[in-house]
Amino acid sequence: MSRRCVLGLDLGTSGVKAVLVATDGSVLARADRGYAVASPHPRWAETDPAQWEAAARDAVASVLADVDADVVAIGLDGQMHGTVLVDASGEPVRPAVLWPDGRAGDELARWQALAPERLRALANPLAPGMTGPVLAWLTRHEPDVVARAHRVLLPKDWLRTRLVPGALVTDHSDASATLLWDLERDEWSRDVLAATGIRADLLPEVVPSDEVVGTLDATEAAAWGLPAGIPVVAGCADAAATLVGSSSAPGRLVVTVGSGAQVVLPGITPTFDGPITHHTYRAASGGAYAMVAVMNAGIALTRVVSLLGGSWDDLYHDYDRQRPVPGFVPFLSGERLPTAAAPNSGRWFGLGLETERADLFAAALEGLCFTIRRGVESMPELADTAIDVAGGGTRSPVFAQLLADVLGRELCRVDLEDATAVGAALLAFRGAGLDLPEPPPRRGVGVRPGDSGPLEQRYARFLDEVDR
């Protein structure tokens, strides 16, 4: 007997995940497919959107083959900040430009020249890989290509046009991450368009994340192996989908550590005065969340392990904070927040003749924890001091205890497997006329902070080094 379910598609930077979520919230099937990110020039990051479509179709075919499923709706989420220029039929006019792309650095001067109150209304730090600066760069350097474009879409929006052709729209969570959206007025920023020369008609209509934007017609249904007539919702940005899928509580920090790290605080009220020390994005629910994205987490530790000819066991095995550990700034690929740092600014400091390889490993672990603390301290004040932590980087008991000691807060390690793709699927429940399932119990292991010992002094030394 077939089981009634919804399909969730999570379009990441280097791979797509498909999940089938039953009406009780359980995951019936999952599949991942990867694709390449090209760098045709230094600091560029692009992907042919056709790779996304091929990978998504393959992943969907896989989950449909795993279970006897009655799919009743489709939800999507995707990597943030990407730039997909399309013609009137939704076909790309060039490869998609992705968030790691750095070509648009010079374009940021146009944003910096805005009136201070309008710059603050964007509620985000300036980064070259965000949609606005990339679109400004393309307008200046590829005018013929831009002239052929009818709309600019975010990655998940383009993938959705392969299901519902002609639905050239985006949602508030992705719009707020473009540096083109005025969060104070909740509209595309007229001031940014005037300052950058970006065509206003390129910007798509913005709709709620759970709004049905169309139904699967017979042709597309046959191509995807799905039932005709099922609704497809707008979808949301990947970070917003993770908050939906993990049932994150407003006012409680979530720290996820993987190749990068994210410090996320759901349920905030945006403010538009003072310096910008964190991202502020619209949530899929219509509220807002704050986020600091740490670019150098697992990716920096991986490089340290490689440089020192060690293993992950070496990284954790001999950690001893009582030794004279040197300092480490892990900004190998630069950092964005709470203040910007240039690429190639990672470094060890305070080395002496007594320094050993184990001390360099220890410094790398502490440096990452200090960077995460720096992000936590840039967030709005919290009533709930406990922090949920997730991701592969938090599975090491050594790292989890060190992070708790550095932050001085209790950590709850929780399992967020498939949370992003599940969040995308849950957005489709309303479109299908279904009640949202009760969230599963948040099971996790508590890690209480212990004596920080020399960590406070080392954190102060770290901040001095970063601020030089």
Side-chain angles (χ1 to χ4, degrees), residues 128-149:
M130 297 176 88
T131 311
V134 169
L135 191 51
W137 187 95
L138 293 171
T139 298
R140 177 184 293 191
H141 295 277
E142 299 183 8
D144 293 343
V145 172
V146 175
R148 300 201 310 272

Side-chain angles (χ1 to χ4, degrees), residues 89-102:
S89 64
E91 293 301 319
V93 299
R94 72 173 319 283
V97 182
L98 311 183
W99 64 269
D101 196 280

Side-chain angles (χ1 to χ4, degrees), residues 235-442:
C236 66
D238 56 2
T242 301
L243 293 178
V244 174
S246 62
S247 305
S248 297
R252 177 148 173 156
L253 272 177
V254 182
V255 175
T256 304
V257 184
S259 295
Q262 292 181 333
V263 181
V264 181
L265 179 62
I268 70 162
T269 299
T271 59
F272 305 101
D273 54 4
I276 295 173
T277 59
H278 56 75
H279 295 284
T280 300
Y281 299 133
R282 289 297 178 195
S285 62
Y289 63 97
M291 185 174 84
V292 168
V294 175
M295 298 173 66
N296 296 270
I299 194 171
L301 295 184
T302 299
R303 187 63 181 138
V304 167
V305 168
S306 174
L307 285 171
L308 297 180
S311 66
W312 286 98
D313 287 341
D314 295 328
L315 181 68
Y316 300 119
H317 185 264
D318 294 324
Y319 175 72
D320 181 2
R321 74 182 60 168
Q322 302 307 322
R323 288 182 55 84
V325 176
F328 179 68
V329 177
F331 302 167
L332 304 181
S333 58
E335 276 297 344
R336 295 178 183 171
L337 293 166
T339 55
N344 304 316
S345 55
R347 59 201 179 276
W348 278 284
F349 61 93
L351 277 68
L353 292 175
E354 73 283 3
T355 301
E356 298 180 358
R357 189 177 74 152
D359 300 324
L360 298 178
F361 282 134
L365 288 174
E366 291 183 3
L368 172 53
C369 291
F370 293 157
T371 301
I372 292 172
R373 174 172 169 177
R374 184 169 169 257
V376 168
E377 291 178 345
S378 72
M379 302 291 267
E381 288 191 28
L382 303 170
D384 187 345
T385 60
I387 298 176
D388 289 340
V389 295
T394 64
R395 292 175 187 152
S396 162
V398 173
F399 181 82
Q401 187 62 61
L402 175 60
L403 184 60
D405 296 345
V406 167
L407 297 177
R409 304 191 188 189
E410 182 178 0
L411 307 182
C412 180
R413 285 186 286 170
V414 295
D415 182 7
L416 297 182
E417 184 181 8
D418 298 324
T420 307
V422 168
L426 293 178
L427 292 175
F429 271 64
R430 182 176 299 177
L434 300 171
D435 293 329
L436 284 174
E438 288 293 323
R442 294 179 62 79

Side-chain angles (χ1 to χ4, degrees), residues 213-240:
V213 297
T215 57
L216 213 58
D217 66 22
T219 300
E220 299 306 328
W224 285 85
L226 292 164
I230 62 174
V232 181
V233 299
C236 66
D238 56 2

